[in-house]
Amino acid sequence: MAKFLIVEARFYSHLNDMLIEGARAALQAAGHEVEVVTVPGALEVPGAIALAAESGQYDGFVAIGVVIRGETYHFEIVAGESARAIMALTMDGIAIGNGIITTENEDQAIARADPKRKNKGGEAAQAAIRLLELREKFA
């Protein structure tokens, strides 16, 4: 049994709740322990994961959040920089499943977040589990 931390960017509560539900279900079905922490937005997720990883309390992480395109360039910055920072942490050997979804509108976000539909939270958890398995294999 491993201990996973779900780090969520709590901006769209109803969408995050679905993503967390899917991630939590996947982790628990695999027999893992789960905790959740909240940060204000997607840009803070990688920093929180880095801090938690340094603590040594967790074996893997699931990044959760929703970024919906708006009227400004901010969407591209948030989506790109959060993904880049998560990838950098992953390249450092931290097992992270990226469940920060980026969409054009709320309907697309609902379809991706809903555990009964695309279940991107569950997919991110499964990715984190697989990366942890590979880290242990290659250690």
Side-chain angles (χ1 to χ4, degrees):
M1 175 175 67
K3 187 172 183 181
F4 283 84
L5 180 65
I6 297 172
V7 179
E8 67 146 338
R10 193 69 167 171
F11 197 78
Y12 297 100
S13 297
H14 63 295
L15 299 170
N16 279 24
D17 289 344
M18 288 189 280
L19 288 165
I20 291 169
E21 178 185 347
R24 185 186 301 273
L27 292 167
Q28 290 176 335
H32 300 299
E33 187 178 337
V34 182
E35 286 185 31
V36 178
V37 298
T38 301
V39 296
L43 291 174
E44 290 78 36
V45 170
I49 290 172
L51 292 170
E54 286 178 13
S55 78
Q57 297 177 48
Y58 303 96
D59 302 297
F61 302 88
V62 180
I64 294 292
V66 178
V67 183
I68 299 175
R69 185 178 300 278
E71 297 176 0
T72 68
Y73 185 69
H74 188 66
F75 170 87
E76 283 83 3
I77 293 170
V78 173
E81 290 301 313
S82 64
R84 182 202 54 76
I86 289 168
M87 182 57 66
L89 292 169
T90 302
M91 296 302 292
D92 286 341
I94 300 173
I96 306 170
N98 188 350
I100 298 177
I101 60 174
T102 56
T103 65
E104 296 293 325
N105 56 56
E106 188 171 351
D107 288 340
Q108 290 175 350
I110 291 168
R112 285 157 180 76
D114 189 344
K116 295 173 185 68
R117 293 172 77 185
K118 294 195 178 195
N119 193 19
K120 294 300 182 182
E123 288 180 11
Q126 291 168 349
I129 292 167
R130 184 64 182 136
L131 286 171
L132 179 59
E133 292 168 350
L134 288 172
R135 187 177 75 199
E136 291 171 351
K137 176 181 179 165
F138 298 130

